[in-house]
Amino acid sequence: MGYDIYESLGISREVYEYGEAVIARLRERFSEIDATAEYNQLKVLKGMQEHQVSEACLLGTTGYGYNDLGRDTLEQVYASVFHTEDALVRPQITCGTHALALALMSNLRPGDELLSPVGKPYDTLEEVIGIRPSRGSLAEYGVTYAQVDLLPDGSFDYEGIRRSINARTRLVTIQRSKGYQTRPTLSVSRIGELIAFIKEIKPDVICMVDNCYGEFVETIEPSDVGADMVVGSLIKNPGGGLAPIGGYIAGKKECVENAACRLTSPGLGKEVGASLGALGAFYQGFFLAPTVTAGSLKGAVFAANIYEHLGYPVVPDGRESRHDIIQAVTFGCPEGVIAFCEGIQAAAPVDSHVTPEPWDMPGYDAQVIMAAGAFVSGSSIELSADGPIKPPYAVYFQGGLTWQHAKFGILRSLQSLVDKRLVTAEAVTKAREKVKDSGL
Ligand SMILES: *Cc1c(COP(=O)(O)O)cnc(C)c1O
């Protein structure tokens, strides 16, 4: 059973059997991931039942969107799941960067200082903050920024953080996922330690967590360990692959209300904002999100093991515990990055027939190649990969709406490297023997 259908999709027997050997060693990891998904599935279900989600909630409003039952109920469901006082979940929040910018700009005032105690934030936030000068940035409004980098071993620089907290420090931003950096992703419990330390120095500081790619990877969220706000994108984990747009901010009532007044207008706040036709997908996507995230996680663990045993540096490694769904693989040459991305593209349900090419993307200092054949454009909870064409020639891989698809995508990426003779069939066979003998 099994190989025939893979063969018909262009996978060689060596690659297939190597994949099976790796999976045989991952049973325990996978059952841990399933246990987390089970817990989170019930957590979401509980939130939906508690707030009596009804068929009427799935319909949308138009125009001003006053008394939008489905929108208001969904926000309560999010608040239940994240254990927060309130939440803002809207199709008018256009992406993750927008959600983060909204949370920052609405909770900071001129003269305040923003602190990142975990190093440089995600690329797109540089212009929001004004680290790179930009129209409309926080810097233009007189909000200053301080940053404390992680220590070389990845730990928090507690002394540096203590020194940089001052009378003007109003909000601390903590990015959970490593994003496209090499530092480790933070576990929820490490985030909790950091928040406790900061609150001891300054109890009234607002602690915000950029939760992108982290939702449902663990059974607790940063809001369970002291975060005043968690913020993310609905075209990543919590949208479950179904949300066609959107972002969320869950947290303290005061913080969420500030964000609502900035998203709509002072005086209007959460009262307006038609949900249009988005609610059905928001609810169903949130319901599926725990298992979709689990599928992505299995794909990431599988990819780490497949490429690690072939000798490529991978972050996180094949055994590390996971706190987000991103997997980095370093190929050391442009051809490797390109072949990998071509394989991911060829595995897609949409646009599998197109060939991705490196291009000069705005905002990047090198060419970037991206592979994505997604139902929702740009969705990175769907199987996707991208890599800048510059040393060390690493690709960042994430997503997969199902584990089965993520598995096929990884095998297809390896097949692409084999077909281009960047990896030999003998190396694949050798790696399979090594895995079988190792009893990992
Ligand atoms: C994706 C991401 C963002 C930005 O989200 P967009 O939807 O791409 O704007 C911010 N922070 C992290 C850690 C992310 O992964």
Side-chain angles (χ1 to χ4, degrees), residues 118 211 268 383:
V118 296
N211 211 20
L268 300 182
L383 189 71

Side-chain angles (χ1 to χ4, degrees), residues 56-61 63-77 87-92 264 269-275 279 282-283:
C57 292
L58 308 178
L59 305 171
T61 53
Y64 292 96
Y66 292 127
N67 303 313
D68 188 322
L69 174 73
R71 177 197 68 204
D72 295 348
T73 304
L74 180 68
E75 290 179 338
Q76 290 177 346
V77 171
L88 188 68
V89 186
R90 304 278 168 130
Q92 286 84 9
T264 64
K270 292 183 82 184
E271 302 294 316
V272 297
S275 53
L279 287 174
F282 281 14
Y283 276 106

Side-chain angles (χ1 to χ4, degrees), residues 94-100 121-125 175-180 183 210-214 231-236 246 324 326 378 380:
T94 55
C95 62
T97 303
H98 185 193
L100 289 157
Y122 197 75
D123 264 14
T124 55
L125 285 185
Q175 185 179 310
R176 177 173 175 180
S177 167
K178 67 184 168 307
Y180 301 128
R183 71 151 165 100
D210 174 350
N211 211 20
C212 283
Y213 285 132
V231 182
S233 162
L234 298 199
I235 64 168
K236 293 179 180 172
D324 69 11
I326 302 176
S380 46

Side-chain angles (χ1 to χ4, degrees), residues 3 25 37-38 63 79 84 102 109-110 129-130 143 152 177-178 206 262 284 291 293 296-297 328 344-345 366 387 426:
Y3 177 58
R25 302 287 176 209
E38 183 176 340
T84 56
L102 182 61
R109 294 290 178 273
I129 296 167
V143 174
S177 167
K178 67 184 168 307
I206 300 168
R262 175 86 192 206
Q284 197 175 354
T291 49
T293 302
S296 292
L297 266 177
I344 295 296
Q345 187 74 41
E426 296 74 58

Side-chain angles (χ1 to χ4, degrees), residues 71-401:
R71 177 197 68 204
D72 295 348
T73 304
L74 180 68
E75 290 179 338
Q76 290 177 346
V77 171
Y78 264 68
S80 281
V81 168
F82 287 103
H83 303 125
T84 56
E85 292 173 6
D86 205 354
L88 188 68
V89 186
R90 304 278 168 130
Q92 286 84 9
I93 301 176
T94 55
C95 62
T97 303
H98 185 193
L100 289 157
L102 182 61
L104 292 172
M105 297 193 158
S106 61
N107 281 286
L108 287 160
R109 294 290 178 273
D112 287 345
E113 185 156 281
L114 166 67
L115 168 68
S116 171
V118 296
K120 191 180 89 64
Y122 197 75
D123 264 14
T124 55
L125 285 185
E126 291 188 7
E127 289 189 67
V128 171
I129 296 167
I131 299 171
R132 274 186 284 144
S134 191
R135 188 189 300 271
S137 70
L138 284 166
E140 278 196 350
Y141 286 89
V143 174
T144 57
Y145 172 70
Q147 176 177 313
V148 178
D149 291 337
L150 295 173
L151 294 172
D153 66 356
S155 61
F156 300 126
D157 178 3
Y158 284 115
E159 270 326 294
I161 294 168
R162 184 190 298 282
R163 273 198 307 275
S164 65
I165 294 176
N166 60 55
R168 293 197 301 110
T169 308
R170 175 83 186 117
L171 198 153
V172 171
T173 180
I174 300 167
Q175 185 179 310
R176 177 173 175 180
S177 167
K178 67 184 168 307
Y180 301 128
Q181 287 174 271
T182 45
R183 71 151 165 100
T185 286
L186 303 176
S187 67
V188 172
S189 87
R190 282 192 72 204
I191 291 173
E193 285 162 27
L194 179 58
I195 292 174
F197 176 80
I198 289 164
K199 294 263 181 180
E200 206 175 288
I201 300 168
K202 193 166 185 187
D204 63 346
V205 79
I206 300 168
C207 290
M208 177 186 99
V209 174
D210 174 350
N211 211 20
C212 283
Y213 285 132
E215 298 92 350
F216 300 126
V217 171
E218 299 182 45
T219 54
I220 52 172
E221 298 290 338
S223 40
D224 292 313
V225 296
D228 300 296
M229 272 193 288
V230 288
V231 182
S233 162
L234 298 199
I235 64 168
K236 293 179 180 172
N237 309 17
L242 292 184
I245 191 170
Y248 76 91
I249 298 170
K252 292 260 163 68
K253 195 153 207 68
E254 171 89 7
C255 296
V256 172
E257 198 55 47
N258 281 340
C261 288
R262 175 86 192 206
L263 176 66
T264 64
S265 145
L268 300 182
K270 292 183 82 184
E271 302 294 316
V272 297
S275 53
L276 305 174
L279 287 174
F282 281 14
Y283 276 106
Q284 197 175 354
F286 199 48
F287 181 73
L288 293 176
T291 49
V292 169
T293 302
S296 292
L297 266 177
K298 288 178 186 174
V301 171
F302 181 58
N305 280 276
I306 284 280
Y307 282 102
E308 187 169 48
H309 295 302
L310 285 165
Y312 295 103
V314 294
V315 181
D317 73 31
R319 279 153 300 281
E320 266 175 72
S321 72
R322 301 258 155 180
H323 309 290
D324 69 11
I325 62 165
I326 302 176
Q327 180 62 47
V329 182
T330 300
F331 287 104
C333 65
E335 295 77 17
V337 171
I338 293 167
F340 181 95
C341 289
E342 285 177 359
I344 295 296
Q345 187 74 41
V350 178
D351 285 339
S352 64
H353 53 282
V354 308
T355 306
E357 275 177 27
W359 62 297
D360 295 301
M361 228 181 117
Y364 290 80
D365 57 358
Q367 288 202 318
V368 180
I369 182 167
M370 296 192 156
F375 297 107
V376 172
S377 181
S379 167
S380 46
I381 187 64
E382 298 188 49
L383 189 71
S384 50
D386 43 68
I389 306 296
K390 65 176 183 185
Y393 301 104
V395 293
Y396 299 88
F397 159 83
Q398 66 268 314
L401 293 181

